[in-house]
Amino acid sequence: MSLKDNIKVIRVKDKVEGGKKAFEIIKEEMEAGLKVIGLPTGSTPETMYEEIRESDLDFSEVIAINLDEYIGLAPDHPQSYHYFMNEKLFNAKPFKETYMPNGLGSETEETEGYDEIIAEHPIDLQILGIGTNAHLGFNEPGSSFDGLTEKVELTEDTIEANKRFFDSADDVPRQAYSMGLASIMSADKIMLIAYGENKADAIADAINGPVTEEVPASILQKHQEVVFILDEAAASKL
Ligand code: GLP
């Protein structure tokens, strides 16, 4: 179903089917010459990573650039996004190069340095999840549409939503390094995946609401080619 020329919505039954659909799109893009892929973390892309792990798709010529990392967590910390990516993907699938902000790195290195990496390796396909408050990466409501990679403060909503991965909310880092919304928008194509009722408002606002910095994902309405993979619950308010 096409809502707007630049936005395509694919509805799937559940996260298993969503993972398969996302995998198919990655495969097609690789056949079409994809060289650089932007990758997300979170529970949403887990089934997609599972499909990739179980496939014989060869990523050895592909560069991966991740969206974000918690500040203060070492790469081997079990709740760090480095650890997540190694476990879910990189240990099983060798890539040509992988990049992720270092949660223990200096601000200049992890922001300006990261933007240089993105500029050197323009992203062909950026894959995204979405926060319940419509954040992308860790670009919380109010983030500038012109933002590049930045040190960001997490909102209480996000700390609350992400505490399930930690022993308690107190253990959730308060800051992160995140690719900015302008960095995300620089990708040739974007694929956003969302499952569950708690994402329905964010999805409806992103696709049909006003384009405003209060709804970070609404910036996607201005992108030339976005595909949303949604289960029925996430698509229920469209
Ligand atoms: C985190 C990440 C986002 C992710 C979001 C949703 O805050 N920084 O990149 O999209 O959470 O996570 P989940 O897929 O677990 O709902």
Side-chain angles (χ1 to χ4, degrees):
M1 179 183 68
S2 184
L3 301 167
K4 301 186 171 91
D5 286 350
N6 58 330
I7 294 182
K8 190 174 164 198
V9 173
I10 298 175
R11 291 174 190 246
V12 293
K13 191 170 71 211
D14 54 23
K15 64 191 292 187
V16 174
E17 195 184 309
K20 289 187 198 302
K21 190 70 221 174
F23 171 75
E24 264 171 46
I25 291 173
I26 294 171
K27 193 171 171 206
E28 281 164 20
E29 292 300 321
M30 285 179 63
E31 284 160 3
L34 173 146
K35 289 279 169 260
V36 184
I37 191 164
L39 296 175
T41 51
S43 49
T44 305
E46 282 182 335
T47 50
M48 174 185 81
Y49 289 137
E50 194 178 332
E51 292 292 326
I52 298 178
R53 287 197 308 272
E54 288 170 0
S55 76
D56 53 10
L57 214 52
D58 178 8
F59 287 83
S60 60
E61 291 304 315
V62 175
I63 294 175
I65 302 187
N66 261 82
L67 277 171
D68 47 12
E69 177 60 288
Y70 288 114
I71 289 179
L73 299 192
D76 62 355
H77 188 289
Q79 268 72 45
S80 73
Y81 286 166
H82 272 82
Y83 189 93
F84 175 96
M85 288 307 300
N86 287 336
E87 287 288 301
K88 302 289 175 192
L89 187 61
F90 300 145
N91 289 345
K93 279 280 172 196
F95 277 65
K96 185 176 177 191
E97 292 163 31
T98 61
Y99 295 100
M100 211 177 311
N102 177 353
L104 299 183
S106 77
E107 184 172 349
T108 313
E109 189 57 34
E110 303 311 321
T111 57
E112 289 166 32
Y114 210 64
D115 287 329
E116 281 166 25
I117 291 167
I118 299 166
E120 256 172 60
H121 308 292
I123 298 173
D124 296 308
L125 174 66
Q126 175 67 56
I127 305 174
L128 300 170
I130 188 169
T132 49
N133 63 3
H135 74 219
L136 298 180
F138 270 130
N139 295 284
E140 299 283 23
S143 301
S144 167
F145 279 173
D146 297 324
L148 297 173
T149 308
E150 276 170 29
K151 177 175 177 173
V152 297
E153 305 288 327
L154 307 193
T155 61
E156 281 308 316
D157 283 356
T158 298
I159 292 165
E160 209 32 50
N162 290 4
K163 74 175 186 195
R164 67 191 193 278
F165 300 109
F166 294 81
D167 288 341
S168 76
D170 288 345
D171 294 326
V172 184
R174 266 41 192 173
Q175 296 174 317
Y177 291 123
S178 180
M179 263 168 65
L181 293 170
S183 332
I184 291 171
M185 288 291 281
S186 71
D188 244 24
K189 292 184 185 171
I190 294 179
M191 169 163 79
L192 186 148
I193 312 171
Y195 307 125
E197 237 236 285
N198 63 341
K199 301 289 173 76
D201 284 323
I203 289 296
D205 289 348
I207 297 180
N208 292 329
V211 177
T212 159
E213 289 178 345
E214 288 315 307
V215 180
S218 67
I219 195 175
L220 298 177
Q221 292 180 36
K222 302 208 284 183
H223 194 274
Q224 73 270 10
E225 192 173 353
V226 190
V227 51
F228 284 80
I229 296 180
L230 308 173
D231 70 357
E232 285 305 326
S236 61
K237 295 193 175 166
L238 287 179

